[in-house]
Amino acid sequence: MTGADSRYHHGDLSMTLVESAVRMLATDGDADLSIRAVARAAGVSSAAPYRHFPDRSALLAAVAAAGFGELMTVLRATCPEPSGRTDIGDLAVAYVRFATERPGLFRVMFAEGGQRGSATRREATAVVHEYLDAGVRRWLGIEDPGTVTTGLWALVHGMACLYTYENLEPADAEDMAQRVRDTVDAVLTVDGR
């Protein structure tokens, strides 16, 4: 019995399927995440996933949520409690690195992660936004940092997409990190902080 089979028999098929999909994306960022392909990778019958995911969209939403969980792990490891401009730069670099090192998962998180507006996606992105809000609140001392947080996230996400989809010339890790820091710093300097 494989590891996937033993977890399934212990009632953890949904997690096994999500982990299999994430591994597929790590191997091939353009992997076909059909329910049949993910079931095959998990070592279960093609009908078994339907007990947990009514359709591909629900499976992708769960994969996207797992991706947001991984992103939060990276961000918190980079800076547990961001509170300043340097921390924001560090988080921006970590975010862009995550996107470029995990392009398939990043794509599912933001472009294919189930139905638009799904509760799973909203909950997953809310965790990231709350973490960033807390950092901006500590840094700037403002009560409602939502607009600033959204603007910073949009800026960094845009850079992540530009690098991930190679619209910006691919660079080595050092050059990319410096360009991300310089861009974030330039935008923050306009504000005078």
Side-chain angles (χ1 to χ4, degrees):
M1 183 180 302
T2 68
D5 290 335
S6 67
R7 281 189 293 223
Y8 168 65
H9 291 298
H10 290 290
D12 202 6
L13 178 59
S14 61
M15 182 56 72
T16 298
L17 292 164
V18 169
E19 290 170 352
S20 293
V22 169
R23 277 192 305 276
M24 289 170 66
L25 290 169
T27 302
D28 175 5
D30 294 321
D32 170 29
L33 293 184
S34 67
I35 288 188
R36 180 179 298 267
V38 173
R40 188 174 335 133
V44 298
S45 75
S46 59
Y50 290 101
R51 294 179 190 141
H52 301 277
F53 301 108
D55 56 26
R56 179 177 184 266
S57 184
L59 172 62
L60 291 179
V63 171
F68 280 107
E70 288 187 28
L71 175 61
M72 279 307 305
T73 297
V74 167
L75 295 177
R76 285 191 175 117
T78 299
C79 187
E81 290 192 6
S83 61
R85 189 178 189 143
T86 301
D87 294 343
I88 300 299
D90 292 345
L91 293 173
V93 171
Y95 188 98
V96 173
R97 280 192 181 138
F98 178 87
T100 58
E101 291 171 2
R102 309 288 303 275
L105 183 58
F106 188 76
R107 174 181 47 81
V108 170
M109 289 165 61
F110 290 99
E112 293 184 25
Q115 297 173 345
R116 288 185 179 179
S118 74
T120 304
R121 285 179 74 169
R122 281 193 310 273
E123 290 166 12
T125 56
V127 171
V128 176
H129 207 278
E130 288 166 12
Y131 165 79
L132 297 173
D133 266 354
V136 171
R137 187 178 297 112
R138 278 189 294 275
W139 172 40
L140 298 177
I142 55 179
E143 186 60 33
D144 184 12
T147 303
V148 174
T149 302
T150 300
L152 286 170
W153 190 357
L155 168 70
V156 175
H157 183 78
M159 291 197 75
C161 288
L162 290 170
Y163 275 114
T164 299
Y165 299 111
E166 298 182 359
N167 298 102
L168 282 179
E169 190 173 316
D172 65 34
E174 288 268 330
D175 290 342
M176 184 181 71
Q178 191 58 54
R179 187 169 190 177
V180 169
R181 284 181 196 286
D182 290 347
T183 302
V184 169
D185 194 54
V187 169
L188 295 176
T189 300
V190 169
D191 180 87
R193 297 185 192 240

